Amino acid sequence: MQELGNAINESLSDSDRIAGAIGEIKRAGYDVFLVLEATIGFNKREEGDDDSASDGSDQETEQSVQYESAGKIRLTSQDQKFLRALKISVEDEGK
């Protein structure tokens, strides 16, 4: 799973198209933060199962992995203003 995450991150980092778009935004005077979230589903195949021989009669359960962080983030005033514009409230621990 980690290998897949690294491969996706690497392909985005190496993309000339993404780098060009980010460069244009920076030249316009903005800082750029790119955060992507992916949900990856996978099924454990039974021994002897063949991808092409599936008749669809068995019910497969999809498992997804979600990663959560217990870390703390620091929001700038711009971050808070943006979140308020989206009607997202953020609890301020400093109060």
Side-chain angles (χ1 to χ4, degrees):
M1 192 62 77
Q2 183 66 37
E3 176 94 19
L4 179 58
N6 291 340
I8 292 169
N9 186 40
E10 204 171 294
S11 67
L12 292 173
S13 298
D14 293 342
S15 169
D16 292 336
R17 187 172 176 191
I18 292 173
I22 289 173
E24 285 187 39
I25 294 168
K26 285 183 176 183
R27 282 190 293 280
Y30 296 94
D31 290 328
V32 180
F33 301 93
L34 177 62
V35 178
L36 300 174
E37 181 177 331
T39 300
I40 301 169
F42 57 92
N43 295 321
K44 179 78 171 167
R45 291 193 306 250
E46 299 289 328
E47 289 295 322
D49 276 358
D50 188 0
D51 287 342
S52 61
S54 178
D55 63 0
S57 62
D58 60 325
Q59 292 184 355
E60 297 180 6
T61 58
E62 184 175 302
Q63 298 177 359
S64 65
V65 177
Q66 293 184 350
Y67 298 96
E68 294 184 23
S69 174
K72 296 181 180 182
I73 60 170
R74 293 183 186 163
L75 297 177
T76 66
S77 59
Q78 287 179 323
D79 295 333
Q80 292 172 349
K81 183 177 179 181
F82 175 73
L83 292 173
R84 280 193 302 272
L86 296 175
K87 300 194 183 324
I88 298 173
S89 63
V90 179
E91 293 180 21
D92 187 7
E93 291 183 9
K95 289 183 178 180

